[in-house]
């Protein structure tokens, strides 16, 4: 039957090409039209496969070349050609070979006064022009000149023809040669005038599609540098800006406004950043073969346009970039490389595992043992929580010095929280413009009451003295405060300040922090501390919702950028802070904001006052680098209250950000802290993240084209006037905060029960100690059996903060550490059954100096695990060495996990390693039939998916990419044979699933994830075949009381996870702005749209003149 149908179709097509009988031709065309007017595209594609395109094109040529072309044949033929041509990717080439292009152009020229015939010719030309090659040929043959004769100024006549002509012209201008020809012939000015004319006269928006098509023409021309220059010379920026200002809120003009924005973005003159050099403001002389290069001076050297025509008609399939990166070499995936150092070197790590060899009479934990601290003079200031501590400050009994009995708020045990499902979390409402982020905190007049003058006095003296150079020590300052008078006065002032406004923040001590800060070494010798890090942070009691983004925020900012260019009269353009220029730049008598960032983890390179309440900010590149601008952390002061300030961070690098999906920056107010609310909170509104006009030249990047930059813009209304506030990308967590935290933790544990040892893994390039922490349970006694039980405990290894800007990883690590030393029954079981080796900060130097990604050598340390150098990457070298040592003595860790932060995805998730999943995803089956793989790598993610409210299995991946071959996760899996080797990613933003859906992460949620990870490790062990009977018995006793409720919760979470798998990690924004110039957002090639036009016209084919497009017809057709 199918053969008969194919045979019949071939007969029809052959007859159509050869027939000279008019009636036979019309009948065949009628049959083909009826055949293709119903059903799906399969019929059309089937006809194409049987030579349908060639038959129709040949018929067109034959009919058109007669002495008197018969339009009764040509019109239905053109309709069929348009319908078929849209589905035939080689249609343009076929038309070129059969000379159908010239024939159609000739017919169009002959019918300039006959709109119906001309309309059909234009449909065919539009289909031909879909091929860039064919479009270029049409341009050579004068098609554009013909179309500009058809496209007239505003009229209500022949609007279907004018619309079709503008759409054909837009399709032709996708060809660079046609666009170049249009520029040379002055078409840019003509098109701008036509757009102005139609825009001003079309007051009812009846002809939006014509206006849109004219803009498409301009947008394609603007893909060329010469086109952009012609557009600017013709005052195009001013014309498009002025014509759209009064219609931004008109939904019916959305297609027009969207294109205007794209053109304005394309044509905005590209310029280098307002910096003296692309290199970091900080430099560090590092050892190794990286030669010192002169600073990369920013110049105007941007990419030009290619000359080649790109034919996009090929049938090449889209291949996912991530699939190209997958490792498909089974030998590389499964082989275990040899040791990367002499075996005898491993013995140095024996001293870091004293719990395996020494008697515990010697090793009973002593606070600060082995760290050579000189903070003993502050021992009397170590803050121990008392019963008088204010309520609601997130304290628990495990956060108090052991052995002391006090009345403190008792935190719910971890298992109880799992059973409750965290359904009782408190939420804050979504904040609108100008709402104070502190408004939900218990207020004391926000500094306006009787305490206000006291706060002002204290702050004034704090600015004068406590932030003096000697108050916060640096490596070049004497180790003792007693050597000078001024530091002693400063210390007394701080002591008075702390007595007047005592802090009650768990596991934090300002005195100890100040002492630790004096030992922290920075590249630029920081002499000041950031107040939030010194004073401490207590998370708010309520979680903050994702910011509800209003449609139109991004376009408003883009129009404001354009306004700066064309209406610069109100632009101040005054540099008020810069790391590159002599200090001071700031005029203390002016009313502009004052900025500062020269403190630990700080990052702000330059601040420029644009308008009275608007500032452009530039963040510093990583040390010894020209890139990785994302992390920011700076102080701002001198503000007025109830006034919206706008900040534009103009040199961000990532192509997208969670700031486009509801995430907010964080803010810390000093006045709020002195009022008893020391907290980082999410803040800001009218937030968006978009590509700007700044570029870095190709000469600096070493790439074929210059690097693009992106702007993060947000508005802030500060809670107090004349406050000192800090703004940061995410909740900061400094190296000094970690060292302080470890000391306070060590002093808080009962050394008879908890073995907590901190020591130095190695020294960093910058001269800072990289801490190594060991946590386990002390043996019940010093008998041989109890000591042997301890030494047989398996190891768990956890690392974090290899990327300095991922401060969320440190908050997760903080939760892990605090939980492991707590008196929670789960923590006790974990200590009794495992030994935890923890490296909480793998890149101290990067954290200290405000880097986002790199070490002091300007390299990503998480790409150095394959062959690290003890001299160049000491923390990675010794972390890997410790893991090798554990493997060499038969103590390979059960789980290795490296904590990270993620800037694109929501939730928390794991990356693991699987040979089979990688090969399957890559479509490779070579060598997999006999491949055996331990599938237990999936167990921990599944457990966490059921336990942790923030975790989602749907975002987990177990693929091994070539580009990740030198990461910790892959190297530990491949070289050490740890099948459960993971990277745990925590979003900077928040959750789109589970109990935290719609919420931004606070530090509480991140710390909770750390404790949930620990619980996951326990359940993982309980599920393993090697789990000891004693642990099973203890766990059964622990879980038995409410086992049913826990099982119910786990089942509920399991069902939720199936829903989460359907959620997109990056939901589309309310408005999509196309960053590229080669966007396919214009739908001039829409199959269904042209089909509708042809179908509508078929009903009027007997009329001499088509029905005019009335007020409303144009609007209906808007896509």
């Amino acid at each position: 039957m199918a053969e008969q149908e194919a045979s019949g179709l071939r007969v029809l097509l052959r007859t159509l090409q050869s027939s000279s009988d008019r009636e036979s031709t019309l009948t065949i065309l009628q049959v083909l039209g009826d055949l293709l007017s119903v059903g799906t595209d399969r019929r059309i594609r089937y006809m194409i496969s049987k030579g349908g395109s060639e038959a129709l094109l040949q018929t067109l040529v034959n009919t058109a070349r007669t002495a008197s072309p018969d339009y009764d044949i040509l019109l239905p033929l053109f309709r069929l050609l348009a319908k078929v041509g849209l589905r035939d990717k080689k249609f343009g080439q076929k038309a070129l070979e059969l000379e159908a292009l010239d024939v159609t152009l000739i017919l169009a020229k002959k019918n300039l006064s006959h709109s119906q015939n001309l309309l059909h010719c234009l449909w065919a030309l539009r289909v031909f022009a879909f091929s860039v090659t064919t479009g270029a040929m049409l341009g050579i043959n004068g098609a554009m000149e013909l179309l500009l004769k058809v496209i007239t100024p505003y009229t209500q006549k022949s609007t279907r023809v004018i619309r079709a002509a503008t759409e054909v012209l837009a399709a032709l201008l996708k060809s660079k040669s046609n666009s170049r020809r249009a520029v040379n012939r002055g078409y840019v000015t003509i098109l701008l005038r036509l757009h102005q004319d139609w825009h001003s006269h079309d007051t009812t928006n009846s002809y939006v599609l014509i206006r849109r098509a004219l803009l498409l023409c301009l947008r394609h021309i603007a893909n060329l540098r010469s086109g952009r220059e012609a557009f600017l010379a013709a005052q195009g920026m001013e014309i498009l800006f002025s014509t759209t200002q009064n219609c931004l809120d008109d939904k019916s003009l959305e297609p027009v406004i969207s294109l205007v924005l794209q053109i304005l973005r394309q044509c905005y003159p590209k310029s280098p950043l307002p910096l003296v050099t692309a290199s970091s403001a900080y430099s560090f002389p590092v050892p190794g073969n990286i030669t010192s290069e002169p600073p990369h001076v920013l110049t105007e050297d941007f990419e030009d346009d290619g000359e080649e025509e790109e034919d996009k008609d090929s049938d090449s399939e889209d291949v996912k970039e991530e699939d190209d990166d997958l490792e498909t070499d089974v030998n590389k995936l499964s082989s275990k490389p040899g040791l990367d150092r002499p075996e005898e070197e491993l013995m140095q790590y024996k001293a870091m595992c004293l719990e395996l060899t020494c008697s515990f009479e010697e090793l009973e934990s002593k606070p600060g043992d082995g760290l050579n601290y000189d903070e003993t003079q502050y021992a009397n200031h170590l803050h121990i929580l008392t019963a008088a501590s204010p309520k609601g400050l997130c304290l628990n009994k495990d956060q108090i010095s052991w052995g002391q009995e006090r009345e403190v708020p008792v935190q719910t045990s971890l298992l109880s929280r799992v059973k409750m499902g965290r359904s009782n979390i408190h939420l804050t409402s979504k904040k609108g413009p100008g709402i104070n982020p502190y408004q939900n905190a218990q207020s004391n007049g926000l500094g306006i009451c009787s305490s206000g003058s006291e706060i002002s006095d204290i702050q004034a003296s704090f600015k004068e003295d406590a932030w003096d150079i000697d108050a916060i020590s640096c490596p070049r300052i004497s180790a003792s405060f007693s050597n000078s008078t001024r530091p002693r006065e400063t210390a007394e002032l701080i002591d008075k300040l702390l007595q007047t406004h005592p802090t009650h923040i768990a596991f934090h001590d300002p005195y100890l922090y100040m002492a630790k800060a004096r030992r922290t070494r920075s590249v630029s010798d920081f002499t000041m501390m950031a107040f939030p890090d010194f004073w401490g942070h207590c998370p708010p009691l309520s979680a903050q919702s994702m910011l509800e983004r209003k449609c139109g925020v991004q376009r408003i900012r883009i129009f404001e950028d354009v306004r700066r260019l064309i209406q610069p009269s109100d632009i101040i353009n005054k540099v008020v802070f810069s790391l590159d220029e002599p200090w001071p730049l700031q005029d203390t008598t002016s009313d502009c904001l004052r900025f500062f960032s020269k403190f630990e983890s700080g990052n702000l390179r330059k601040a420029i006052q644009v308008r009275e309440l608007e500032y452009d900010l530039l963040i510093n590149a990583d040390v010894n680098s020209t890139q990785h601008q994302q992390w920011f952390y700076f102080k701002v002061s001198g503000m007025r209250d109830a006034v919206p300030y706008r900040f534009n961070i103009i040199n961000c690098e990532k192509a997208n950000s969670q700031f486009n999906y509801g995430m907010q920056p964080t803010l810390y107010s000093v006045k709020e802290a002195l009022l008893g609310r020391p907290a980082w909170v999410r803040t800001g509104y009218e937030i968006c993240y978009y590509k700007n006009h700044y570029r870095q030249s190709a000469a600096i990047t070493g790439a074929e084209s210059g690097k693009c930059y992106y702007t993060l813009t947000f508005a802030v209304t500060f809670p107090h006037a004349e406050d000192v506030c800090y703004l940061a990308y995410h909740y900061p967590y400094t190296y000094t905060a970690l060292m302080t935290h470890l000391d306070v933790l060590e002093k808080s544990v009962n050394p008879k029960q908890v073995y907590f040892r901190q020591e130095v893994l190695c020294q960093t390039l910058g001269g800072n100690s990289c801490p190594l922490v060991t946590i386990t349970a002390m043996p019940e006694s010093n008998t041989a059996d109890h000591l042997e039980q301890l030494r047989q405990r398996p190891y768990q290894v956890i690392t974090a903060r290899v990327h300095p800007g991922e401060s969320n990883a440190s908050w997760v690590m903080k939760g892990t550490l605090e939980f492991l030393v707590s008196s929670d029954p789960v923590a006790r079981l974990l200590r009794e059954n495992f030994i935890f080796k923890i490296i909480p900060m793998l890149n101290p130097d990067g954290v200290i100096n405000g880097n986002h990604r790199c070490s002091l050598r300007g390299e990503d340390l998480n790409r150095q695990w394959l062959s690290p150098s003890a001299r160049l990457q000491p923390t990675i070298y010794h972390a890997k060495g410790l893991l090798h040592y554990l493997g060499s003595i038969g103590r390979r860790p059960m789980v290795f996990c490296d904590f990270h932060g993620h800037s694109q995805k929501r939730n928390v998730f794991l990356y693991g390693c699987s040979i089979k999943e990688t090969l399957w995803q890559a479509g490779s089956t070579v060598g997999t039939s006999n491949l055996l793989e331990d599938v237990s790598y999936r167990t921990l993610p599944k457990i966490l998916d059921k336990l942790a409210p923030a975790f989602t299995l749907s975002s987990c991946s177990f693929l091994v990419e070539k580009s990740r071959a030198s990461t910790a996760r892959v190297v530990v899996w491949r070289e050490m044979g740890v099948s459960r080797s993971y990277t745990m990613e925590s979003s900077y933003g928040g959750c789109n699933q589970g109990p935290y859906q719609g919420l931004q992460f606070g530090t509480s949620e991140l710390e909770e994830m750390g404790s949930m990870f620990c619980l996951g490790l326990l359940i993982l062990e309980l599920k393993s075949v090697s789990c000891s009977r004693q642990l099973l018995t203890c766990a059964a006793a622990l879980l038995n009381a409410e086992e049913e409720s826990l099982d119910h919760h786990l089942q509920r979470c399991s069902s939720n996870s199936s829903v989460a798998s359907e959620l997109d990690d990056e939901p589309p924004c309310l408005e999509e702005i196309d960053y590229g110039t080669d966007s396919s957002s214009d739908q001039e090639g829409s199959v269904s749209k042209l089909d509708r036009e042809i179908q509508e016209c078929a009903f009027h084919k007997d009329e001499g003149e088509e029905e005019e497009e009335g007020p409303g017809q144009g609007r209906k057709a808007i896509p």
Side-chain angles (χ1 to χ4, degrees), residues 571-830:
I571 301 302
I572 300 173
N573 206 31
K574 175 185 176 183
V575 177
V576 296
F577 172 79
S578 176
L579 295 179
D580 302 304
E581 299 176 40
W583 188 260
L585 287 171
Q586 298 182 2
D587 181 5
T588 55
T589 61
S590 69
D591 60 352
C592 69
L593 294 177
R594 298 185 293 276
F595 296 86
F596 189 73
S597 66
K598 295 191 71 173
F599 48 78
E600 186 177 350
S601 293
N603 191 322
L604 177 67
R605 181 170 184 171
K606 192 172 188 176
I608 304 170
Q609 186 177 19
V610 179
R611 297 184 178 93
E612 181 187 4
L613 302 175
E614 183 175 3
Y615 294 82
D616 280 354
L617 308 178
L618 293 103
I619 47 184
N620 199 16
D622 284 3
V623 176
N624 283 325
S625 171
T626 61
Q627 53 186 340
H628 305 299
Q629 294 99 314
Q630 181 172 334
W631 171 259
F632 60 87
Y633 180 20
F634 57 88
K635 181 187 81 169
V636 59
S637 58
M639 68 283 292
R640 306 196 298 252
D641 59 347
V643 172
Y645 290 90
R646 176 157 294 280
F647 300 101
N648 310 309
I649 300 177
I650 62 175
N651 64 331
C652 301
E653 285 192 341
K654 287 186 176 289
N656 201 357
S657 170
Q658 283 290 302
F659 286 117
N660 272 339
Y661 304 97
M663 187 174 90
Q664 297 170 285
T666 58
L667 178 141
Y668 189 105
S669 163
V670 171
K671 278 193 175 182
E672 285 292 315
L674 296 178
L675 286 168
R677 297 184 286 273
W680 283 99
V681 296
R682 301 278 190 169
T683 193
Y685 52 95
E686 294 179 3
I687 301 173
C688 67
Y689 187 97
Y690 62 95
K691 184 190 282 187
N692 58 37
H693 62 280
Y694 292 107
R695 298 290 183 270
Q696 189 177 95
S697 72
I700 294 176
T701 61
E704 292 182 4
S705 60
K707 181 172 68 177
C708 302
Y709 289 102
Y710 298 80
T711 292
L712 164 63
T713 178
F714 57 94
V716 173
T717 302
F718 294 102
H720 304 280
E722 292 302 321
D723 197 356
V724 177
C725 291
Y726 290 79
L727 287 165
Y729 180 85
H730 194 71
Y731 307 100
Y733 192 96
T734 64
Y735 168 77
T736 302
L738 170 67
M739 302 307 287
T740 304
H741 186 229
L742 293 179
D743 258 22
V744 177
L745 269 182
E746 189 169 16
K747 293 177 176 72
S748 72
V749 302
N750 184 343
K752 295 180 180 179
Q753 297 176 0
V754 180
Y755 176 72
F756 183 103
R757 179 178 177 82
Q758 56 168 323
E759 54 197 308
V760 177
L761 176 71
C762 63
Q763 293 292 317
T764 67
L765 289 179
N768 295 288
S769 299
C770 179
L772 169 67
V773 177
T774 305
I775 299 175
T776 190
M778 293 292 284
E780 292 184 32
S781 69
N782 286 327
T783 63
D785 288 345
H786 286 151
L787 289 175
E788 184 62 21
Q789 189 276 335
L790 181 148
R791 291 166 184 163
Q792 292 304 314
R793 295 171 189 167
Y795 276 89
Q796 310 277 11
V797 178
I798 308 173
T799 62
R801 208 70 185 278
V802 70
H803 293 146
E806 295 169 6
S807 60
N808 41 0
S810 281
W811 288 101
V812 176
M813 176 60 77
K814 182 175 184 287
T816 299
L817 289 166
E818 289 180 9
F819 179 75
L820 286 175
V821 301
S822 73
S823 60
D824 190 286
V826 172
R828 179 176 52 79
L829 275 180
L830 285 166

Side-chain angles (χ1 to χ4, degrees), residues 82-268:
K83 187 181 288 287
V84 171
L86 287 170
R87 280 85 173 175
D88 188 347
K89 293 183 178 180
K90 297 182 179 179
F91 192 73
Q93 187 62 35
K94 294 174 183 177
L96 186 61
E97 292 171 356
L98 293 171
E99 301 180 356
L101 300 185
D102 294 338
V103 164
T104 307
L105 272 177
I106 292 170
L107 288 174
K109 291 175 182 177
K110 290 181 178 179
N111 286 278
L112 287 176
S113 59
H114 195 293
S115 59
Q116 186 72 0
N117 295 349
L118 179 59
L119 179 64
H120 283 69
C121 293
L122 292 172
W123 283 341
L125 290 173
R126 183 176 170 191
V127 176
F128 296 155
F130 286 157
S131 163
V132 177
T133 304
T134 311
M137 186 60 65
L138 284 170
I140 293 172
N141 292 337
M144 292 194 295
E145 292 83 347
L146 170 68
L147 294 170
L148 285 175
K149 292 178 182 179
V150 179
I151 304 170
T152 64
Y154 177 79
T155 178
Q156 293 187 353
K157 296 181 180 180
S158 302
T159 53
R160 286 180 186 270
V161 174
I162 294 173
R163 171 185 159 189
T166 53
E167 289 172 345
V168 175
L169 182 59
L172 290 175
L173 289 170
K174 287 193 292 184
S175 159
K176 287 186 178 180
S177 62
N178 284 341
S179 288
R180 202 169 288 112
R181 190 174 294 110
V183 172
N184 295 336
R185 296 180 181 179
Y187 290 174
V188 173
T189 302
I190 295 172
L191 289 168
L192 281 169
R193 287 175 182 169
L194 286 169
H195 166 73
Q196 271 185 297
D197 188 66
W198 280 90
H199 182 86
S200 61
H201 288 92
D202 184 23
T203 55
T204 60
N205 297 334
S206 300
Y207 307 112
V208 170
L209 293 179
I210 294 177
R211 293 153 63 183
R212 180 179 182 274
L214 289 168
L215 290 169
L216 274 174
C217 295
L218 289 169
R219 205 197 70 178
H220 291 317
I221 291 174
N223 285 333
L224 296 179
R225 171 185 269 188
S226 56
R228 296 190 290 272
E229 291 172 351
F231 179 83
L232 292 172
Q235 304 294 304
M237 299 290 282
E238 291 83 351
I239 291 171
L240 295 192
F241 180 83
S242 60
T243 55
T244 51
Q245 289 308 292
N246 296 326
C247 55
L248 292 178
D249 296 328
D250 191 334
K251 297 296 182 184
S252 68
L253 289 178
E254 187 65 28
V256 170
I257 296 170
S258 178
L259 271 173
V260 167
L261 283 167
Q262 293 178 36
I263 296 168
L264 292 176
R265 290 165 72 97
Q266 279 179 282
C267 296
Y268 199 112

Side-chain angles (χ1 to χ4, degrees), residues 3 33 40 77 95 387 418 445 449 453 460 523 526 548-549 563 634 674 781 835 893 985:
E3 291 180 3
T40 64
L77 183 58
V418 172
C449 65
S453 59
V523 169
F526 295 139
E548 186 174 356
R549 184 181 179 195
R563 187 190 300 276
F634 57 88
L674 296 178
S781 69
I835 301 172
E985 301 274 3

